[in-house]
């Protein structure tokens, strides 16, 4: 299994002391610049989080297209798009266009989404669950239509007054292979099983909306095993991919200590709490000296089980800081989990 690492940015922006992303423009432009820097380091992927009604990144496709235009190799993705807010057919057009610009490098994470600032914000976007349907059901319904649309299913009929006949119409443009690069953001073993049955790749973050008392990495490894078993039972032909997210902050400078020294102790253990009325388990952060973090990640059961590890970055500290963070991880941490730089793999293959 080829091990990949990437960064995941929440795209925060706010004009507060110390922020290097005081405006939305800075957050967007710096996301593009960090993707360029990450590609030069040999990082495998650049992903952005999607939130609404907040000072964060919200509309991913213009940003992904811009990142694609400035890079040539790195995978570009989302972690995740809240499908409760999406018009599936409009999203299919935008996703295909961005994927064509990237020459097939999009890796789109979608899901029901996480708690948002707004109360039923998807209704403001014009999306209301049908009778007897929950908002989670609506997200799955939107996802099903989106996947069918990007695969070329007919979703409308031609107008005989324009074409001279009546025939089924599919969304244009379409990008070959995009359907195999859709990931479902799963927070439980049950949704991981559903994801495997549906034939989507699995994306799991540092939050699981269930708790059995075992450490976070072990519970997440169980989730991955359930997903792979469901995938095999469903008989899908290709090999699935699995991604997990981790907060990894190597401490190598006085600046690192100033920003994150306290977190090294405060966030070094899993946290258990209530979220949306459900007992949930939050994964610990990996903050400390690079060699210590390397050993900890090598012992992380879910990191070992996944093929891709997304590293959440403190984007408000700017491109230079985050590029240095990623370089430190690439040189001193990631080799411990079996990773080699993307250009190193290409050289070995040739």
């Amino acid at each position: 299994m080829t091990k990949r690492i990437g960064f995941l940015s929440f795209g925060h922006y706010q004009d507060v002391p110390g922020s290097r992303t005081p405006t939305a423009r800075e957050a967007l432009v710096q996301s593009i610049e960090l993707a360029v820097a990450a590609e030069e380091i040999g990082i495998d992927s650049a992903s952005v989080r999607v939130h609404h009604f907040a000072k964060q990144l919200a509309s991913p496709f213009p940003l992904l297209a811009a990142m694609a235009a400035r890079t040539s190799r790195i995978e570009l993705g989302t972690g995740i798009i809240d499908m409760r807010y999406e018009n599936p057919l409009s999203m299919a057009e935008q996703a295909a266009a961005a994927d064509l610009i990237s020459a097939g490098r999009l890796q789109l994470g979608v899901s029901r989404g996480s708690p948002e600032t707004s109360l039923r914000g998807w209704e403001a976007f014009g999306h209301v669950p049908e009778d007897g349907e929950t908002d989670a059901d609506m997200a799955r319904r939107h996802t099903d239509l989106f996947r069918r649309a990007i695969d070329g299913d007919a979703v409308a009929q031609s107008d005989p007054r324009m074409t001279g006949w009546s025939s089924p119409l599919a969304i244009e443009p379409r990008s070959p292979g995009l359907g195999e690069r859709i990931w479902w953001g799963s927070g439980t073993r049950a949704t991981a099983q559903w994801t495997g049955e549906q034939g989507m790749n699995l994306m799991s973050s540092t939050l699981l909306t269930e708790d059995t008392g075992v450490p976070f990495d072990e519970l997440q490894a169980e989730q991955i095993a359930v997903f792979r078993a469901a995938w095999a039972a469903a008989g899908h032909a290709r090999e699935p991919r699995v991604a997990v997210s981790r907060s990894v902050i190597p401490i190598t400078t006085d600046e690192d200590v100033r920003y994150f020294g306290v977190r090294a102790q405060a966030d070094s253990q899993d946290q258990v709490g209530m979220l949306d009325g459900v007992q949930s388990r939050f994964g610990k952060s990996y903050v400390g000296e690079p060699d210590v973090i390397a050993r900890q990640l090598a012992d992380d059961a879910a990191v070992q089980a996944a093929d891709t590890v997304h590293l959440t970055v403190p984007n408000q500290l700017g491109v230079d800081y985050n590029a240095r963070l990623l370089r430190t991880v690439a040189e001193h941490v990631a080799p411990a989990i079996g990773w080699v730089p993307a250009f190193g793999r290409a050289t070995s293959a040739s």
Side-chain angles (χ1 to χ4, degrees), residues 180-195:
E180 296 185 355
R181 288 177 273 115
I182 307 301
W183 307 59
W184 184 263
S186 172
T188 66
R189 289 164 296 174
T191 54
Q193 178 177 336
W194 177 84
T195 305

Side-chain angles (χ1 to χ4, degrees), residues 285-339:
S285 296
Y286 291 86
V287 184
E289 296 179 1
D291 58 335
V292 174
I293 295 176
R295 290 194 297 271
Q296 291 173 332
L297 286 176
D299 291 336
D300 186 307
V303 166
Q304 292 304 316
D307 62 78
T308 301
V309 180
H310 292 147
L311 309 174
T312 58
V313 295
N315 74 280
Q316 284 191 277
L317 294 183
V319 176
D320 290 344
Y321 184 92
N322 282 291
R324 178 174 64 80
L325 182 155
L326 292 174
R327 186 174 295 279
T328 299
V329 170
E331 294 178 353
H332 302 291
V333 177
I337 64 172
W339 177 83

Side-chain angles (χ1 to χ4, degrees), residues 24-48:
R25 171 176 166 76
E26 271 94 356
L28 290 162
V29 171
Q30 289 183 28
S31 296
I32 299 166
E33 293 173 348
L34 186 56
V36 173
E39 182 170 83
E40 292 172 353
I41 294 168
I43 300 298
D44 296 284
S45 65
S47 297
V48 294

Side-chain angles (χ1 to χ4, degrees), residues 135-328:
D135 62 299
D137 295 332
M138 181 175 67
R140 293 190 182 194
R141 172 166 53 83
H142 285 182
T143 301
D144 177 66
L145 179 54
F146 166 70
R147 294 179 69 201
R148 289 190 286 111
I150 62 175
D151 283 343
D153 282 10
V155 294
Q157 287 291 125
S158 66
D159 186 342
R161 295 171 298 178
M162 294 288 293
T163 63
W165 60 83
S166 179
S167 61
L169 296 175
I171 287 294
E172 294 288 353
R174 295 195 300 277
S175 186
L178 178 57
E180 296 185 355
R181 288 177 273 115
I182 307 301
W183 307 59
W184 184 263
S186 172
T188 66
R189 289 164 296 174
T191 54
Q193 178 177 336
W194 177 84
T195 305
E197 293 167 349
Q198 296 298 310
M200 288 184 282
N201 300 308
L202 179 70
M203 186 174 289
S204 187
S205 73
T206 53
L207 166 66
L208 294 176
T209 52
E210 62 179 346
D211 179 46
T212 63
V214 303
F216 178 88
D217 66 309
E218 294 180 17
L219 181 57
Q220 197 171 46
E222 287 181 31
Q223 182 191 43
I224 294 170
V226 167
F227 163 76
R228 288 203 168 113
W231 182 284
H236 302 301
R238 63 184 176 87
E239 283 293 315
R241 289 185 60 183
V242 174
V244 297
S245 297
R246 292 293 183 269
S247 178
V248 176
I249 307 289
I251 302 292
T252 62
T253 69
D254 290 342
E255 184 180 29
D256 298 332
V257 173
R258 185 166 67 253
Y259 285 126
F260 300 107
V262 174
R263 277 189 64 181
Q265 297 299 321
D267 296 345
S268 62
Q269 302 293 326
D270 293 351
Q271 299 178 49
V272 178
M274 300 299 291
L275 183 66
D276 279 357
V278 178
Q279 184 158 297
S280 305
R281 182 168 284 264
F282 304 80
K284 64 184 180 182
S285 296
Y286 291 86
V287 184
E289 296 179 1
D291 58 335
V292 174
I293 295 176
R295 290 194 297 271
Q296 291 173 332
L297 286 176
D299 291 336
D300 186 307
V303 166
Q304 292 304 316
D307 62 78
T308 301
V309 180
H310 292 147
L311 309 174
T312 58
V313 295
N315 74 280
Q316 284 191 277
L317 294 183
V319 176
D320 290 344
Y321 184 92
N322 282 291
R324 178 174 64 80
L325 182 155
L326 292 174
R327 186 174 295 279
T328 299

